[in-house]
Amino acid sequence: MTAYTATVTVRLKHGVLDPEAETTRRSLERLGFDLEALRSADRFEIDLEADDSAEAEQRVDEMAERLLANPTIHDYDVEVDER
């Protein structure tokens, strides 16, 4: 078994209202920052052991599908690195 750290980034799909990002965007603009768009995201770091990186990615992808993200409103990315 090899130790891996997986990073899952979960964000709302385009077109889904993101009130947290909208509030932050308005605050940044009031501070004088000019920006085109802002989206919020959640990031999860998961340490696990697996036979190889493909198995680690498959297990983390299942975690994301079953709990970390709602596929109806979220997109997510999984990155797996050996520790």
Side-chain angles (χ1 to χ4, degrees), residues 15-81:
V16 176
L17 293 178
D18 188 346
E20 180 181 7
E22 185 60 27
T23 299
T24 304
R25 183 188 63 78
R26 283 195 310 266
S27 295
L28 287 169
E29 288 174 342
R30 278 196 302 274
L31 290 171
F33 294 100
D34 184 28
L35 52 142
E36 199 171 303
L38 180 81
R39 287 177 295 286
S40 63
D42 292 321
R43 179 178 162 175
F44 301 92
E45 291 183 1
I46 303 166
D47 293 335
L48 70 156
E49 292 191 1
D51 290 333
D52 56 34
S53 63
E55 178 190 338
E57 185 171 347
Q58 184 274 326
R59 288 173 50 200
V60 172
D61 190 66
E62 184 177 351
M63 292 177 201
E65 283 285 327
R66 293 181 64 187
L67 180 69
L68 302 177
N70 175 345
T72 303
I73 62 169
H74 293 123
D75 288 324
Y76 66 89
D77 298 314
V78 175
E79 292 182 29
V80 175
D81 295 308

